[in-house]
Amino acid sequence: MPDTLRDAVLGGRDLQAVLLESKTRVPPWRTNAVSRRRQIERARTSAARIVSVAAPAGYGKSTMLAEWAVTETRKVAWVSLERTDDEPATLLPVVASACSSFSSIAEDVVDEMRGVGSGALGRSAPLLAAVLSSAPNDFVLFIDDLHLVASPACQDALEVLLARVPAGSQVVLAGRQEPPVLARLRAQGVVWEVSSDDLILDAADARTVFDAAGAAHIAETDLAGIVAKCEGWPTGLYLCALVARAGGDATRVTGDERYVADYLYRECIERLPEPTQLFLRRSAVLDQISPEACNAVLQIGDARRRLGDLEAANLFLVPMDRTRSWFRFHALFREYLLGELERSEGADAASALHLRAAQWHEEQGAQASAVEHLLRAGDFGRAAALITEVALTMYEQGQITTVRRWFDQLGPAMLLANPTLVVFRTWAAVLLGEVVEGEKWSALLDRVDAGLFPEDDRVLFESARSMVRAAMCRHGHEQVAVDAAYAIEHEPLTSPWRAQALHLWGSAAILRGDSDTAGEAFADAIEVATVVNAPDTVILSEPELALIAIDGGLWTAAAAHAQRGADAIDANHLEGYPTTAFALAVAARVAVHLGDRERGERLLARGMRARVGCTHLLPFVSLRVRLQLAKAHVALGDRSAAFHLLAECDHLLRKRPDVGVVAAQIEEFRAGLSAEPHRGGTVPLTPAELRLLPYLQTHLTIAEIGQRLYVSRNTVSSQLSSVYRKLSVTTRGAAVERAVAIGLLGG
């Protein structure tokens, strides 16, 4: 995706760099802290490729990892995760960026980590796994706060990475709960586990904590009682030390960890000046804290001094960058502060702070962060308006899961009250080939009463709805032309959607066999799309111009158009999106015709993989994808694969029979293919089998794979047998190896 679009969502380059650095920077380790050397050495020398450190909040997991990192002699990489990383398209780029510390090729694949759906598991994760397995030196990769990325998609992607950790290297996973992936790894005997029992502190450790905190005056008998009441909980002991240092009675601790934390935090905070308490509570609404953000959100002018004082007082403020311009609170402390904010000042005050935080982030160009604050503030109206601005960019980044989470938080009523969001939700399902969601949301879109809108809004909405209808072709190719013509007439020249309207007008001309009109429309669509940074339209339009050139016998011109379409995929890192399949299929056909068989086979494998999401929701594109893939297979001498692709066309035509001349083109090709004797050949994996294939890299059971794919266990079993037969293998491992070799997994 163009950098300007990325900046528009995530903020300027300085903010991006700071946030990325904060996630991949080894945090400082206090040399006067209790050492975990014994636990570290046992894990380090265990020969286990995976080390799990799982314990509730406040047990010193991050501190242990920090000590390990600064004392490690092997290459070190660090990742601190956040809640917003809970989808592969955000998790994998951060991990890849961190791995650049021990692999020179890791940085090259960062932008290739934006896969959507099965693309993340089928391409992005294997690419990064190959980086790990080919590392030139032994390494230790630390992944902290793993409990924040518990989605099945992230866990599956992590398993693919962890399977390729080479001997001599380790990945250390730390989180509040045992990660779901651990059970599958434990069965392989490659895991060393550190639990809360291994992290509790004894009386000698507690003395170190109290001495370091300036509370050395506590008697041994009192200290023993404090350790017993805290049950060795490290954060509880540290808080007791702070209470004792301030003159309080640290022996009065009782209750479970949650109560102990609240009690001790309150004991610490209440001894601070009221302005400092206020600053702590209110600044806790920020995920990342900077002086500028605090000044704006808290409406003060001395945040830099206050942050410096808090850091000097060791009040759970963690620096995020080397210049100490950005900070975050320790997670458990922040949870307490946010609770105190609502208890002491009320929910309305917390909402007001979130609203100001949203405004500040929006002013910095970080709209995605602004949306999060608006949702926390309960201002769903403004959140919905901002989501309409960033949703397309998030889609192109592969962060569709985040957008869907926002939609879930808004709720159906708010979505239906914002027709623009319904349009986007429908487009996302159509373009990603999500049949059930696409049918549901397109039906809701049809039911929106545009007559209730002001005139200008009504026309823009009708134009958007017309484009969705044209793309879905539910009412035949003649209606496609009517809908596309409406969009061309009413979509403003400055609209980012005009390029798509022009492409649909060209597609309508193709369906009626008017190549001249189609060529002009596609050329115009590319010109507009280039200006407004709409790569999908370029990727769909360039191969159309290539086919028009081929029909005229102009293979050199066709090659230029095909190349530009393929280049746009790579430049915008859209590999895996269904809309790329057409450009890949045409580029493969052109490459084979011009004698570059190796490149043609590589492009063909990519196109076959991308066709998975080409469903009847986008019928004329999906049909033309398969027709071009079939022709490329024939050019390579594989007529069997072509027949199977034609069978897929038949299935699509049963869903959408009226696609104009495209149906006749398919029959013409079939007739020519059938005129020659059929001598066998390869049988391609079906879209359903290709969706299954990436999960063979994991240790998910057949039933668990069925849950991921929303199909029955019997269906998975049947598809698995078919995959084995087509790939001529008998095991999962062999299937994965064969799939990688022929380009169906990984690069």
Side-chain angles (χ1 to χ4, degrees), residues 146-292:
L146 187 60
H147 58 278
L148 297 175
V149 291
S151 67
C154 283
Q155 294 296 311
D156 294 342
L158 278 172
E159 184 173 353
V160 173
L161 301 186
L162 299 177
R164 300 289 297 278
V165 177
S169 296
Q170 292 178 299
V171 174
V172 184
L173 309 173
R176 293 187 182 181
Q177 300 94 29
E178 176 184 296
V181 70
L182 195 64
R184 304 199 291 270
L185 294 169
R186 187 185 290 120
Q188 302 174 55
V190 297
V191 179
W192 179 267
E193 298 181 61
V194 179
S195 69
S196 57
D197 289 342
D198 300 306
L199 297 174
I200 60 174
L201 303 184
D202 58 20
D205 295 327
R207 172 56 65 192
T208 300
V209 170
F210 274 65
D211 288 351
H217 60 278
I218 295 295
E220 293 299 326
T221 53
D222 288 340
L223 188 60
I226 293 170
V227 172
K229 289 183 177 180
C230 286
E231 297 182 344
W233 182 41
T235 290
L237 291 171
Y238 179 66
L239 288 166
C240 284
L242 294 183
V243 170
R245 183 183 69 182
D249 186 357
T251 64
R252 294 173 54 195
V253 178
T254 185
D256 59 23
E257 288 170 3
R258 180 72 267 176
Y259 176 84
V260 168
D262 283 357
Y263 166 76
L264 291 172
Y265 280 136
R266 189 172 296 110
E267 285 287 301
C268 293
I269 297 302
E270 286 181 350
R271 297 173 187 278
L272 298 172
E274 178 56 32
T276 302
Q277 295 184 42
L278 193 67
F279 179 81
L280 285 168
R281 290 196 302 266
R282 293 181 174 181
S283 59
V285 301
L286 294 165
D287 297 301
Q288 296 91 21
I289 304 168
S290 72
E292 294 78 14

Side-chain angles (χ1 to χ4, degrees), residues 625-649:
V625 163
R626 286 168 171 81
L627 180 57
Q628 296 308 312
L629 288 171
K631 289 184 176 182
H633 275 292
V634 170
L636 288 167
D638 187 352
R639 297 170 63 249
S640 177
F643 276 114
H644 284 276
L645 286 162
L646 288 176
E648 292 181 15
C649 288

Side-chain angles (χ1 to χ4, degrees), residues 550-630:
I550 289 173
D551 290 341
L554 305 174
W555 282 92
T556 301
H561 287 299
Q563 186 65 52
R564 284 195 286 269
D567 287 347
I569 296 172
D570 297 335
N572 294 281
H573 308 288
L574 293 175
E575 184 77 25
Y577 285 76
T579 45
T580 65
F582 189 42
L584 293 168
V586 173
R589 185 181 168 198
V590 171
V592 174
H593 179 84
L594 296 179
D596 193 345
R597 184 183 181 94
E598 181 181 352
R599 181 170 185 269
E601 290 177 340
R602 189 166 61 251
L603 288 165
L604 184 57
R606 292 168 62 189
M608 290 291 283
R609 186 169 62 192
R611 90 185 194 281
V612 169
C614 295
T615 68
H616 70 269
L617 296 178
L618 207 60
F620 46 83
V621 172
S622 299
L623 286 164
R624 286 164 66 74
V625 163
R626 286 168 171 81
L627 180 57
Q628 296 308 312
L629 288 171

Side-chain angles (χ1 to χ4, degrees), residues 336-367:
Y336 166 77
L337 291 174
L338 289 172
E340 280 298 289
L341 175 63
E342 291 214 9
R343 281 191 291 270
S344 61
E345 301 186 48
D348 289 345
S351 294
L353 289 165
H354 279 299
L355 289 175
R356 289 201 290 270
Q359 181 179 345
W360 184 83
H361 281 92
E362 191 171 1
E363 290 170 353
Q364 305 308 307
Q367 286 98 324

Side-chain angles (χ1 to χ4, degrees), residues 33-243:
V34 173
S35 175
R36 302 293 191 175
R37 187 180 301 109
R38 181 174 60 86
Q39 291 91 340
I40 292 169
E41 283 304 315
R42 292 177 66 193
R44 179 187 281 143
T45 59
S46 67
R49 292 188 289 108
I50 314 301
V51 176
S52 170
V53 184
Y59 272 84
K61 300 180 294 296
S62 298
T63 302
M64 173 183 166
L65 266 60
E67 179 183 2
W68 186 344
V70 300
T71 58
E72 179 58 60
T73 57
R74 292 168 289 182
K75 296 288 186 180
V76 167
W78 183 281
V79 176
S80 293
L81 297 174
E82 298 178 350
R83 185 172 65 93
T84 52
D85 295 319
D86 197 15
E87 61 178 310
T90 50
L91 169 65
L92 294 176
V94 175
V95 176
S97 181
C99 291
S100 63
S101 64
F102 62 77
S103 171
S104 59
I105 62 174
E107 193 65 33
D108 296 336
V109 303
V110 171
D111 286 333
E112 303 301 326
M113 297 291 106
R114 298 185 198 154
V116 291
S118 61
L121 191 60
R123 181 172 186 271
S124 301
L127 274 176
L128 186 52
V131 170
L132 298 184
S133 67
S134 63
N137 304 107
D138 292 345
F139 65 84
V140 183
L141 168 61
F142 298 93
I143 302 180
D144 197 15
D145 290 328
L146 187 60
H147 58 278
L148 297 175
V149 291
S151 67
C154 283
Q155 294 296 311
D156 294 342
L158 278 172
E159 184 173 353
V160 173
L161 301 186
L162 299 177
R164 300 289 297 278
V165 177
S169 296
Q170 292 178 299
V171 174
V172 184
L173 309 173
R176 293 187 182 181
Q177 300 94 29
E178 176 184 296
V181 70
L182 195 64
R184 304 199 291 270
L185 294 169
R186 187 185 290 120
Q188 302 174 55
V190 297
V191 179
W192 179 267
E193 298 181 61
V194 179
S195 69
S196 57
D197 289 342
D198 300 306
L199 297 174
I200 60 174
L201 303 184
D202 58 20
D205 295 327
R207 172 56 65 192
T208 300
V209 170
F210 274 65
D211 288 351
H217 60 278
I218 295 295
E220 293 299 326
T221 53
D222 288 340
L223 188 60
I226 293 170
V227 172
K229 289 183 177 180
C230 286
E231 297 182 344
W233 182 41
T235 290
L237 291 171
Y238 179 66
L239 288 166
C240 284
L242 294 183
V243 170

Side-chain angles (χ1 to χ4, degrees), residues 5-16:
L5 287 182
R6 188 185 300 111
D7 292 350
V9 176
L10 301 177
R13 292 186 180 280
D14 290 343
L15 181 55
Q16 287 182 58

